[in-house]
Every structure is written in structure tokens, then in C-alpha cells.
Amino acid sequence: MQLRVTFVAAARSSSLLAERFEDDRPLDQAGWDEVLAVAHDLLPLAAAELRYCSPTPRSRATGDALGYSPLVQLALRDCDMGRWRGLTLGEAMAREPESVDAWLADPRATPHGGESLRDFITRVGGWLDTRPVGDGGRIVAVAEPAVIRAALVYALKAPPSTYWNIDVRPLSATTVTGRAGRWNLRFEGAPAQPART
């Protein structure tokens, strides 16, 4: 039996330039407005037999607002960024430019003291490969964009550096189909995204 896993990117809790590593902030008013604007298009995913989410407040709030009542999955947490947690990329670059360059260039690097990109991708891929087949074929998971990027790199068996070339927009839906070790990316229509800087 093939599984159909649809990842829904959590709504934002800040503007793109203010996004922080391992951001634990809840949805702001603009994020709630974005969820309400696309809820009609994403509501049918609530019919999935299994509904999950990342442990972040904005992932949980997005899933609840869409009527999914998702179960929190620790394996879908964002990449452990060690001492960079809570910083923007610009702030980390200002403090440790060589370390950021090393992290961006080498998927095994952990200059921040946290998790490597390779380990992050492997963790998220392990979650994907262990989804139960017997409980139904449709799954929805609300997650941080970084988690979805990692899942796509894993599903496509792409080099880890591909992670930096995938753009996952808030409240976009991305589907993979298949089973452990054999996944296919499925393109479907996505709801229009509200503009936000």
C-alpha cells in the first residue's frame, strides 16, 4: 500500500527577514489572517487518517486552526541550532561569519554546537519512512518550512546541498507518495499565498 503524506507549512510568526533559528514564537495576527485566508483550500486535508505536526507553537496553532487536531511529533522538530537558537541568519553571520560559511558549505558541519544538516535530513527522513501503513494511506503533517525542505531532500534522495535550493512558502502544501525508501514528489495545485514581507 502506498502512503500519501501531505506536508503543510506552518503560517509565519514574523516577516521573512525576521525569521529566527528554532523560532518558538506563536502566530502573530498576520499569521492568523493568512491561515483564515487559505483555510477553505486546506480544510479537506483534515480527512487524512493520520494528522501530525511539529512541536512549535505556530505549527500546532496552524494545524488546530485548520481543523486537523494534529498529534505532536518530536521527530518533526526544527534543526537543533545550538548556540544560534533564536538568532536570525544575519545575526549569526555578524557574530560568527566563518562558522556560518562552514555550516552553509558542509552538510556535516556543526559549528553552532547543534545538529548537522545531514543529521537533520536523516532524522526527518526516518520519521517519513516509519509512518504506519496499516492505519490508512493519507497523512497530513503541519511543519516548519525547514522540516519540509529536509523531508523533500530525503524523499528525492538528493544531495544535502539541495536543501538550500528549496523554497517552502508558509501555508503551502507539498505531497510525497510511496513507502519507506521509495518516495515520489507529487505536484498539485496550491492555494494562493497572501503577500507578506
Side-chain angles (χ1 to χ4, degrees):
M1 174 183 208
Q2 278 203 338
L3 293 174
R4 175 187 172 102
V5 182
T6 301
F7 291 97
V8 175
R12 277 190 231 169
S13 57
S14 64
S15 69
L16 186 60
L17 294 177
E19 284 192 16
R20 299 183 174 280
F21 294 125
E22 292 187 84
D23 196 348
D24 273 346
R25 291 178 291 174
L27 292 179
D28 60 12
Q29 187 58 50
W32 282 109
D33 293 343
E34 289 176 355
V35 171
L36 294 175
V38 299
H40 178 64
D41 294 322
L42 295 174
L43 187 59
L45 293 173
E49 288 89 359
L50 298 171
R51 297 173 302 281
Y52 302 113
C53 71
S54 294
T56 61
R58 69 184 187 174
S59 292
R60 292 192 315 263
T62 300
D64 286 341
L66 294 172
Y68 300 168
S69 300
L71 177 65
V72 171
Q73 298 284 282
L74 292 179
L76 293 179
R77 68 191 179 282
D78 211 340
C79 187
D80 177 358
M81 296 304 291
R83 69 178 170 275
W84 295 349
R85 184 177 195 273
L87 300 179
T88 65
L89 179 59
E91 290 168 345
M93 183 64 92
R95 292 178 187 187
E96 302 178 47
E98 295 85 14
S99 295
V100 172
D101 287 343
W103 174 66
L104 293 172
D106 182 358
R108 297 166 300 195
T110 59
H112 44 62
E115 186 175 28
S116 73
L117 179 61
R118 182 181 300 270
D119 289 344
F120 175 48
I121 292 167
T122 299
R123 170 172 49 86
V124 173
W127 177 87
L128 185 61
D129 277 349
T130 57
R131 291 310 85 216
V133 175
D135 290 339
R138 294 176 302 159
I139 297 170
V140 64
V142 179
E144 297 300 312
V147 172
I148 298 170
R149 289 162 62 191
L152 293 176
V153 170
Y154 182 85
L156 295 174
K157 299 179 182 175
S161 60
T162 306
Y163 176 88
W164 305 116
N165 302 106
I166 299 173
D167 183 22
V168 177
R169 306 288 299 162
L171 296 167
S172 61
T174 306
T175 301
V176 295
T177 60
R179 60 185 183 281
R182 186 174 171 93
W183 296 99
N184 300 298
L185 180 59
R186 181 176 178 145
F187 289 101
E188 300 172 334
Q193 297 299 307
R196 183 172 177 193
T197 58

PDB file of all heavy atoms in Angstrom, residues 100-130:
ATOM      1  N   VAL A 100      29.331  30.379  10.040  1.00  0.00           N
ATOM      2  CA  VAL A 100      28.140  30.315   9.185  1.00  0.00           C
ATOM      3  C   VAL A 100      28.533  29.832   7.793  1.00  0.00           C
ATOM      4  O   VAL A 100      27.853  28.982   7.205  1.00  0.00           O
ATOM      5  CB  VAL A 100      27.408  31.670   9.134  1.00  0.00           C
ATOM      6  CG1 VAL A 100      26.286  31.641   8.101  1.00  0.00           C
ATOM      7  CG2 VAL A 100      26.846  32.026  10.505  1.00  0.00           C
ATOM      8  N   ASP A 101      29.627  30.347   7.261  1.00  0.00           N
ATOM      9  CA  ASP A 101      30.097  29.899   5.942  1.00  0.00           C
ATOM     10  C   ASP A 101      30.375  28.395   5.935  1.00  0.00           C
ATOM     11  O   ASP A 101      30.005  27.688   4.994  1.00  0.00           O
ATOM     12  CB  ASP A 101      31.356  30.665   5.524  1.00  0.00           C
ATOM     13  CG  ASP A 101      31.068  32.100   5.129  1.00  0.00           C
ATOM     14  OD1 ASP A 101      29.884  32.432   4.863  1.00  0.00           O
ATOM     15  OD2 ASP A 101      32.027  32.905   5.090  1.00  0.00           O
ATOM     16  N   ALA A 102      31.016  27.905   6.997  1.00  0.00           N
ATOM     17  CA  ALA A 102      31.304  26.469   7.094  1.00  0.00           C
ATOM     18  C   ALA A 102      30.024  25.658   7.159  1.00  0.00           C
ATOM     19  O   ALA A 102      29.899  24.606   6.517  1.00  0.00           O
ATOM     20  CB  ALA A 102      32.173  26.193   8.326  1.00  0.00           C
ATOM     21  N   TRP A 103      29.051  26.141   7.925  1.00  0.00           N
ATOM     22  CA  TRP A 103      27.766  25.441   8.062  1.00  0.00           C
ATOM     23  C   TRP A 103      27.021  25.387   6.725  1.00  0.00           C
ATOM     24  O   TRP A 103      26.446  24.357   6.366  1.00  0.00           O
ATOM     25  CB  TRP A 103      26.941  26.151   9.131  1.00  0.00           C
ATOM     26  CG  TRP A 103      25.546  25.652   9.288  1.00  0.00           C
ATOM     27  CD1 TRP A 103      25.147  24.421   9.726  1.00  0.00           C
ATOM     28  CD2 TRP A 103      24.351  26.374   9.010  1.00  0.00           C
ATOM     29  NE1 TRP A 103      23.776  24.344   9.744  1.00  0.00           N
ATOM     30  CE2 TRP A 103      23.267  25.538   9.306  1.00  0.00           C
ATOM     31  CE3 TRP A 103      24.097  27.661   8.548  1.00  0.00           C
ATOM     32  CZ2 TRP A 103      21.958  25.932   9.147  1.00  0.00           C
ATOM     33  CZ3 TRP A 103      22.787  28.060   8.399  1.00  0.00           C
ATOM     34  CH2 TRP A 103      21.736  27.200   8.693  1.00  0.00           C
ATOM     35  N   LEU A 104      27.049  26.485   5.980  1.00  0.00           N
ATOM     36  CA  LEU A 104      26.367  26.522   4.687  1.00  0.00           C
ATOM     37  C   LEU A 104      27.064  25.651   3.638  1.00  0.00           C
ATOM     38  O   LEU A 104      26.428  25.137   2.725  1.00  0.00           O
ATOM     39  CB  LEU A 104      26.272  27.962   4.177  1.00  0.00           C
ATOM     40  CG  LEU A 104      25.364  28.898   4.980  1.00  0.00           C
ATOM     41  CD1 LEU A 104      25.515  30.334   4.501  1.00  0.00           C
ATOM     42  CD2 LEU A 104      23.912  28.455   4.911  1.00  0.00           C
ATOM     43  N   ALA A 105      28.375  25.466   3.770  1.00  0.00           N
ATOM     44  CA  ALA A 105      29.142  24.736   2.769  1.00  0.00           C
ATOM     45  C   ALA A 105      29.226  23.233   3.020  1.00  0.00           C
ATOM     46  O   ALA A 105      29.344  22.449   2.082  1.00  0.00           O
ATOM     47  CB  ALA A 105      30.557  25.310   2.688  1.00  0.00           C
ATOM     48  N   ASP A 106      29.172  22.821   4.292  1.00  0.00           N
ATOM     49  CA  ASP A 106      29.390  21.413   4.627  1.00  0.00           C
ATOM     50  C   ASP A 106      28.195  20.857   5.392  1.00  0.00           C
ATOM     51  O   ASP A 106      27.944  21.254   6.536  1.00  0.00           O
ATOM     52  CB  ASP A 106      30.660  21.287   5.478  1.00  0.00           C
ATOM     53  CG  ASP A 106      30.997  19.851   5.834  1.00  0.00           C
ATOM     54  OD1 ASP A 106      30.248  18.915   5.472  1.00  0.00           O
ATOM     55  OD2 ASP A 106      32.033  19.647   6.510  1.00  0.00           O
ATOM     56  N   PRO A 107      27.443  19.908   4.794  1.00  0.00           N
ATOM     57  CA  PRO A 107      26.249  19.375   5.469  1.00  0.00           C
ATOM     58  C   PRO A 107      26.561  18.578   6.729  1.00  0.00           C
ATOM     59  O   PRO A 107      25.662  18.256   7.487  1.00  0.00           O
ATOM     60  CB  PRO A 107      25.597  18.495   4.406  1.00  0.00           C
ATOM     61  CG  PRO A 107      26.657  18.202   3.419  1.00  0.00           C
ATOM     62  CD  PRO A 107      27.629  19.332   3.460  1.00  0.00           C
ATOM     63  N   ARG A 108      27.824  18.284   6.985  1.00  0.00           N
ATOM     64  CA  ARG A 108      28.201  17.562   8.207  1.00  0.00           C
ATOM     65  C   ARG A 108      28.636  18.504   9.318  1.00  0.00           C
ATOM     66  O   ARG A 108      28.847  18.086  10.449  1.00  0.00           O
ATOM     67  CB  ARG A 108      29.322  16.574   7.906  1.00  0.00           C
ATOM     68  CG  ARG A 108      28.903  15.482   6.922  1.00  0.00           C
ATOM     69  CD  ARG A 108      30.093  14.771   6.413  1.00  0.00           C
ATOM     70  NE  ARG A 108      30.914  15.791   5.740  1.00  0.00           N
ATOM     71  CZ  ARG A 108      31.909  15.552   4.925  1.00  0.00           C
ATOM     72  NH1 ARG A 108      32.263  14.326   4.679  1.00  0.00           N
ATOM     73  NH2 ARG A 108      32.587  16.530   4.351  1.00  0.00           N
ATOM     74  N   ALA A 109      28.782  19.780   8.998  1.00  0.00           N
ATOM     75  CA  ALA A 109      29.319  20.762   9.942  1.00  0.00           C
ATOM     76  C   ALA A 109      28.315  21.097  11.052  1.00  0.00           C
ATOM     77  O   ALA A 109      27.116  21.187  10.813  1.00  0.00           O
ATOM     78  CB  ALA A 109      29.710  22.034   9.197  1.00  0.00           C
ATOM     79  N   THR A 110      28.862  21.290  12.250  1.00  0.00           N
ATOM     80  CA  THR A 110      28.059  21.706  13.402  1.00  0.00           C
ATOM     81  C   THR A 110      28.777  22.814  14.168  1.00  0.00           C
ATOM     82  O   THR A 110      28.970  22.701  15.389  1.00  0.00           O
ATOM     83  CB  THR A 110      27.763  20.524  14.342  1.00  0.00           C
ATOM     84  OG1 THR A 110      29.013  19.981  14.785  1.00  0.00           O
ATOM     85  CG2 THR A 110      26.937  19.455  13.677  1.00  0.00           C
ATOM     86  N   PRO A 111      29.130  23.906  13.503  1.00  0.00           N
ATOM     87  CA  PRO A 111      29.862  24.962  14.201  1.00  0.00           C
ATOM     88  C   PRO A 111      29.044  25.637  15.299  1.00  0.00           C
ATOM     89  O   PRO A 111      29.604  26.263  16.192  1.00  0.00           O
ATOM     90  CB  PRO A 111      30.216  25.944  13.091  1.00  0.00           C
ATOM     91  CG  PRO A 111      29.166  25.733  12.054  1.00  0.00           C
ATOM     92  CD  PRO A 111      28.856  24.266  12.117  1.00  0.00           C
ATOM     93  N   HIS A 112      27.739  25.482  15.262  1.00  0.00           N
ATOM     94  CA  HIS A 112      26.850  26.075  16.263  1.00  0.00           C
ATOM     95  C   HIS A 112      26.706  25.185  17.488  1.00  0.00           C
ATOM     96  O   HIS A 112      26.111  25.575  18.480  1.00  0.00           O
ATOM     97  CB  HIS A 112      25.483  26.355  15.660  1.00  0.00           C
ATOM     98  CG  HIS A 112      24.959  25.228  14.815  1.00  0.00           C
ATOM     99  ND1 HIS A 112      24.705  23.970  15.305  1.00  0.00           N
ATOM    100  CD2 HIS A 112      24.679  25.186  13.488  1.00  0.00           C
ATOM    101  CE1 HIS A 112      24.266  23.186  14.327  1.00  0.00           C
ATOM    102  NE2 HIS A 112      24.245  23.905  13.211  1.00  0.00           N
ATOM    103  N   GLY A 113      27.235  23.965  17.408  1.00  0.00           N
ATOM    104  CA  GLY A 113      27.136  23.045  18.534  1.00  0.00           C
ATOM    105  C   GLY A 113      25.854  22.242  18.555  1.00  0.00           C
ATOM    106  O   GLY A 113      25.568  21.549  19.528  1.00  0.00           O
ATOM    107  N   GLY A 114      25.071  22.312  17.496  1.00  0.00           N
ATOM    108  CA  GLY A 114      23.800  21.586  17.442  1.00  0.00           C
ATOM    109  C   GLY A 114      23.856  20.413  16.486  1.00  0.00           C
ATOM    110  O   GLY A 114      24.805  19.630  16.500  1.00  0.00           O
ATOM    111  N   GLU A 115      22.859  20.317  15.650  1.00  0.00           N
ATOM    112  CA  GLU A 115      22.674  19.192  14.737  1.00  0.00           C
ATOM    113  C   GLU A 115      23.176  19.569  13.341  1.00  0.00           C
ATOM    114  O   GLU A 115      22.940  20.677  12.871  1.00  0.00           O
ATOM    115  CB  GLU A 115      21.170  18.892  14.709  1.00  0.00           C
ATOM    116  CG  GLU A 115      20.719  17.699  13.956  1.00  0.00           C
ATOM    117  CD  GLU A 115      19.209  17.486  14.126  1.00  0.00           C
ATOM    118  OE1 GLU A 115      18.459  18.469  14.342  1.00  0.00           O
ATOM    119  OE2 GLU A 115      18.791  16.331  14.024  1.00  0.00           O
ATOM    120  N   SER A 116      23.834  18.650  12.660  1.00  0.00           N
ATOM    121  CA  SER A 116      24.271  18.923  11.290  1.00  0.00           C
ATOM    122  C   SER A 116      23.076  18.848  10.343  1.00  0.00           C
ATOM    123  O   SER A 116      22.055  18.215  10.648  1.00  0.00           O
ATOM    124  CB  SER A 116      25.340  17.918  10.854  1.00  0.00           C
ATOM    125  OG  SER A 116      24.767  16.649  10.607  1.00  0.00           O
ATOM    126  N   LEU A 117      23.221  19.474   9.201  1.00  0.00           N
ATOM    127  CA  LEU A 117      22.167  19.411   8.187  1.00  0.00           C
ATOM    128  C   LEU A 117      21.927  17.966   7.775  1.00  0.00           C
ATOM    129  O   LEU A 117      20.777  17.529   7.626  1.00  0.00           O
ATOM    130  CB  LEU A 117      22.541  20.274   6.972  1.00  0.00           C
ATOM    131  CG  LEU A 117      21.547  20.276   5.827  1.00  0.00           C
ATOM    132  CD1 LEU A 117      20.196  20.825   6.265  1.00  0.00           C
ATOM    133  CD2 LEU A 117      22.092  21.087   4.651  1.00  0.00           C
ATOM    134  N   ARG A 118      22.986  17.199   7.600  1.00  0.00           N
ATOM    135  CA  ARG A 118      22.847  15.785   7.214  1.00  0.00           C
ATOM    136  C   ARG A 118      22.048  15.011   8.272  1.00  0.00           C
ATOM    137  O   ARG A 118      21.148  14.236   7.938  1.00  0.00           O
ATOM    138  CB  ARG A 118      24.219  15.160   7.020  1.00  0.00           C
ATOM    139  CG  ARG A 118      24.145  13.700   6.558  1.00  0.00           C
ATOM    140  CD  ARG A 118      25.516  13.091   6.395  1.00  0.00           C
ATOM    141  NE  ARG A 118      26.327  13.777   5.418  1.00  0.00           N
ATOM    142  CZ  ARG A 118      26.371  13.497   4.116  1.00  0.00           C
ATOM    143  NH1 ARG A 118      25.613  12.539   3.636  1.00  0.00           N
ATOM    144  NH2 ARG A 118      27.160  14.164   3.316  1.00  0.00           N
ATOM    145  N   ASP A 119      22.363  15.225   9.548  1.00  0.00           N
ATOM    146  CA  ASP A 119      21.630  14.529  10.614  1.00  0.00           C
ATOM    147  C   ASP A 119      20.166  14.967  10.675  1.00  0.00           C
ATOM    148  O   ASP A 119      19.273  14.156  10.939  1.00  0.00           O
ATOM    149  CB  ASP A 119      22.300  14.756  11.969  1.00  0.00           C
ATOM    150  CG  ASP A 119      23.639  14.024  12.090  1.00  0.00           C
ATOM    151  OD1 ASP A 119      23.913  13.116  11.276  1.00  0.00           O
ATOM    152  OD2 ASP A 119      24.404  14.378  13.005  1.00  0.00           O
ATOM    153  N   PHE A 120      19.922  16.243  10.445  1.00  0.00           N
ATOM    154  CA  PHE A 120      18.558  16.771  10.425  1.00  0.00           C
ATOM    155  C   PHE A 120      17.745  16.099   9.319  1.00  0.00           C
ATOM    156  O   PHE A 120      16.633  15.608   9.547  1.00  0.00           O
ATOM    157  CB  PHE A 120      18.616  18.288  10.235  1.00  0.00           C
ATOM    158  CG  PHE A 120      17.304  18.988  10.070  1.00  0.00           C
ATOM    159  CD1 PHE A 120      16.244  18.757  10.922  1.00  0.00           C
ATOM    160  CD2 PHE A 120      17.135  19.923   9.055  1.00  0.00           C
ATOM    161  CE1 PHE A 120      15.029  19.428  10.779  1.00  0.00           C
ATOM    162  CE2 PHE A 120      15.947  20.597   8.897  1.00  0.00           C
ATOM    163  CZ  PHE A 120      14.884  20.347   9.761  1.00  0.00           C
ATOM    164  N   ILE A 121      18.301  16.038   8.121  1.00  0.00           N
ATOM    165  CA  ILE A 121      17.624  15.399   6.992  1.00  0.00           C
ATOM    166  C   ILE A 121      17.360  13.924   7.298  1.00  0.00           C
ATOM    167  O   ILE A 121      16.264  13.409   7.040  1.00  0.00           O
ATOM    168  CB  ILE A 121      18.448  15.572   5.700  1.00  0.00           C
ATOM    169  CG1 ILE A 121      18.452  17.050   5.274  1.00  0.00           C
ATOM    170  CG2 ILE A 121      17.917  14.676   4.579  1.00  0.00           C
ATOM    171  CD1 ILE A 121      19.470  17.390   4.197  1.00  0.00           C
ATOM    172  N   THR A 122      18.344  13.256   7.881  1.00  0.00           N
ATOM    173  CA  THR A 122      18.192  11.835   8.210  1.00  0.00           C
ATOM    174  C   THR A 122      17.100  11.627   9.255  1.00  0.00           C
ATOM    175  O   THR A 122      16.296  10.686   9.161  1.00  0.00           O
ATOM    176  CB  THR A 122      19.532  11.264   8.706  1.00  0.00           C
ATOM    177  OG1 THR A 122      20.502  11.408   7.659  1.00  0.00           O
ATOM    178  CG2 THR A 122      19.413   9.805   9.091  1.00  0.00           C
ATOM    179  N   ARG A 123      17.038  12.503  10.261  1.00  0.00           N
ATOM    180  CA  ARG A 123      16.008  12.385  11.301  1.00  0.00           C
ATOM    181  C   ARG A 123      14.605  12.537  10.716  1.00  0.00           C
ATOM    182  O   ARG A 123      13.703  11.728  10.978  1.00  0.00           O
ATOM    183  CB  ARG A 123      16.229  13.421  12.406  1.00  0.00           C
ATOM    184  CG  ARG A 123      15.055  13.507  13.380  1.00  0.00           C
ATOM    185  CD  ARG A 123      15.319  14.363  14.584  1.00  0.00           C
ATOM    186  NE  ARG A 123      15.868  15.657  14.389  1.00  0.00           N
ATOM    187  CZ  ARG A 123      15.162  16.773  14.124  1.00  0.00           C
ATOM    188  NH1 ARG A 123      13.843  16.707  13.955  1.00  0.00           N
ATOM    189  NH2 ARG A 123      15.762  17.936  14.023  1.00  0.00           N
ATOM    190  N   VAL A 124      14.421  13.576   9.900  1.00  0.00           N
ATOM    191  CA  VAL A 124      13.106  13.807   9.304  1.00  0.00           C
ATOM    192  C   VAL A 124      12.758  12.672   8.338  1.00  0.00           C
ATOM    193  O   VAL A 124      11.624  12.183   8.312  1.00  0.00           O
ATOM    194  CB  VAL A 124      13.056  15.182   8.613  1.00  0.00           C
ATOM    195  CG1 VAL A 124      11.752  15.368   7.850  1.00  0.00           C
ATOM    196  CG2 VAL A 124      13.241  16.301   9.638  1.00  0.00           C
ATOM    197  N   GLY A 125      13.745  12.213   7.572  1.00  0.00           N
ATOM    198  CA  GLY A 125      13.513  11.084   6.669  1.00  0.00           C
ATOM    199  C   GLY A 125      13.161   9.812   7.409  1.00  0.00           C
ATOM    200  O   GLY A 125      12.316   9.026   6.957  1.00  0.00           O
ATOM    201  N   GLY A 126      13.782   9.610   8.562  1.00  0.00           N
ATOM    202  CA  GLY A 126      13.440   8.442   9.379  1.00  0.00           C
ATOM    203  C   GLY A 126      11.997   8.482   9.839  1.00  0.00           C
ATOM    204  O   GLY A 126      11.315   7.457   9.868  1.00  0.00           O
ATOM    205  N   TRP A 127      11.531   9.687  10.177  1.00  0.00           N
ATOM    206  CA  TRP A 127      10.114   9.824  10.556  1.00  0.00           C
ATOM    207  C   TRP A 127       9.227   9.457   9.367  1.00  0.00           C
ATOM    208  O   TRP A 127       8.262   8.701   9.514  1.00  0.00           O
ATOM    209  CB  TRP A 127       9.812  11.262  11.004  1.00  0.00           C
ATOM    210  CG  TRP A 127       8.367  11.472  11.320  1.00  0.00           C
ATOM    211  CD1 TRP A 127       7.758  11.248  12.520  1.00  0.00           C
ATOM    212  CD2 TRP A 127       7.334  11.913  10.429  1.00  0.00           C
ATOM    213  NE1 TRP A 127       6.408  11.524  12.421  1.00  0.00           N
ATOM    214  CE2 TRP A 127       6.128  11.931  11.147  1.00  0.00           C
ATOM    215  CE3 TRP A 127       7.325  12.285   9.084  1.00  0.00           C
ATOM    216  CZ2 TRP A 127       4.921  12.311  10.576  1.00  0.00           C
ATOM    217  CZ3 TRP A 127       6.121  12.667   8.505  1.00  0.00           C
ATOM    218  CH2 TRP A 127       4.934  12.681   9.261  1.00  0.00           C
ATOM    219  N   LEU A 128       9.573   9.955   8.204  1.00  0.00           N
ATOM    220  CA  LEU A 128       8.781   9.682   7.000  1.00  0.00           C
ATOM    221  C   LEU A 128       8.741   8.181   6.711  1.00  0.00           C
ATOM    222  O   LEU A 128       7.672   7.624   6.435  1.00  0.00           O
ATOM    223  CB  LEU A 128       9.374  10.449   5.816  1.00  0.00           C
ATOM    224  CG  LEU A 128       8.630  10.394   4.494  1.00  0.00           C
ATOM    225  CD1 LEU A 128       7.231  10.984   4.618  1.00  0.00           C
ATOM    226  CD2 LEU A 128       9.424  11.146   3.429  1.00  0.00           C
ATOM    227  N   ASP A 129       9.880   7.523   6.808  1.00  0.00           N
ATOM    228  CA  ASP A 129       9.955   6.091   6.494  1.00  0.00           C
ATOM    229  C   ASP A 129       9.253   5.204   7.507  1.00  0.00           C
ATOM    230  O   ASP A 129       8.964   4.041   7.207  1.00  0.00           O
ATOM    231  CB  ASP A 129      11.420   5.654   6.388  1.00  0.00           C
ATOM    232  CG  ASP A 129      12.028   5.948   5.029  1.00  0.00           C
ATOM    233  OD1 ASP A 129      11.283   6.302   4.091  1.00  0.00           O
ATOM    234  OD2 ASP A 129      13.267   5.822   4.906  1.00  0.00           O
ATOM    235  N   THR A 130       8.971   5.714   8.687  1.00  0.00           N
ATOM    236  CA  THR A 130       8.335   4.875   9.709  1.00  0.00           C
ATOM    237  C   THR A 130       6.850   5.170   9.883  1.00  0.00           C
ATOM    238  O   THR A 130       6.249   4.750  10.878  1.00  0.00           O
ATOM    239  CB  THR A 130       9.058   5.032  11.070  1.00  0.00           C
ATOM    240  OG1 THR A 130       9.055   6.413  11.443  1.00  0.00           O
ATOM    241  CG2 THR A 130      10.482   4.502  10.988  1.00  0.00           C
TER     242      THR A 130
END
